[in-house]
């Protein structure tokens, strides 16, 4: 009667209950850090349909304006201006898609 399984059955305690009753040797988990105020603001701003569209509109028109202003610069004309024009077009298309299909 020295079998450990017989002893456990006699005491009426399962392995899972024994693990719960044993003191934990690892320290308790540390709480997660609070989110940054910037991240909180961005999430709040992006969570609403109207403000998301307004944010995309700002990005779209800002990239278009910067592309227009840098188009006359010989140094930025071949690299920055076309990239910003493409960004403006892509954001515009994204706004159309989100309006047509709705925000997910």
């Amino acid at each position: 009667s020295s079998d450990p399984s017989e002893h456990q059955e006699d005491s009426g305690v399962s392995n899972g209950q024994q693990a719960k009753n044993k003191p934990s040797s690892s320290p308790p988990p540390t709480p997660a850090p609070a989110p940054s105020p910037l991240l909180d603001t961005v999430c709040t701003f992006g969570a609403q349909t109207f403000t998301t569209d307004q944010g995309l509109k700002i990005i779209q028109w800002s990239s278009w304006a910067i592309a227009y202003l840098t188009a006359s610069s010989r140094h930025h004309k071949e690299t920055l201006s076309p990239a910003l024009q493409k960004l403006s077009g892509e954001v515009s298309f994204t706004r159309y898609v989100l309006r047509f299909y709705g925000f997910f």
Side-chain angles (χ1 to χ4, degrees):
S1 143
S2 63
D3 187 17
S5 62
E6 289 177 8
H7 182 64
Q8 285 179 354
E9 290 176 355
D10 292 340
S11 65
V13 178
S14 68
N15 285 338
Q17 288 174 339
Q18 283 182 347
K20 288 181 186 177
N21 294 338
K22 286 184 180 179
S24 175
S25 60
S26 63
T30 56
S36 71
L38 175 64
L39 180 62
D40 189 40
T41 302
V42 169
C43 289
T44 302
F45 185 80
Q48 299 172 357
T49 304
F50 179 75
T51 55
T52 300
D53 186 59
Q54 294 300 313
L56 289 173
K57 187 188 295 186
I58 290 169
I59 293 170
Q60 176 189 355
W61 287 98
S62 298
S63 60
W64 177 86
I66 295 169
Y68 179 78
L69 294 173
T70 59
S72 62
S73 170
R74 195 170 8 146
H75 178 67
H76 297 295
K77 187 174 187 173
E78 294 178 6
T79 57
L80 184 60
S81 183
L84 287 171
Q85 288 174 350
K86 184 175 179 181
L87 175 65
S88 177
E90 294 294 327
V91 171
S92 175
F93 182 72
T94 301
R95 288 180 63 214
Y96 287 132
V97 168
L98 290 176
R99 284 188 200 158
F100 186 71
Y101 290 108
F103 288 86
F104 300 106

